[in-house]
Amino acid sequence: MLRNGLEPWHLLIVAIVVVMLFGAKKLPDTARALGKSMRILKSEAKAMKEESPQ
């Protein structure tokens, strides 16, 4: 059934659904917020890794 996982047309359908749900005007703000969240998560994970004794 899912032989190759996500194919390019799957990603296209997901992109169309996201644009329809959120609207093209809010996408840049949403992407910026997601990027900021990912940077925070990455820095916190790095801090936890450095903090833990081995």
Side-chain angles (χ1 to χ4, degrees):
M1 196 166 167
L2 287 176
R3 62 184 188 275
N4 292 332
L6 289 177
E7 293 182 12
W9 64 273
H10 289 126
L11 298 176
L12 179 64
I13 291 173
V14 170
I16 290 171
V17 169
V18 167
V19 169
M20 289 174 59
L21 286 175
F22 296 108
K25 199 169 190 176
K26 286 194 174 189
L27 284 179
D29 295 333
T30 305
R32 193 174 300 114
L34 180 62
K36 186 176 180 181
S37 298
M38 292 301 293
R39 282 191 299 273
I40 291 170
L41 179 65
K42 187 177 177 182
S43 67
E44 291 296 323
K46 184 178 177 184
M48 287 178 64
K49 193 174 187 181
E50 291 173 353
E51 200 174 274
S52 65
Q54 289 185 2

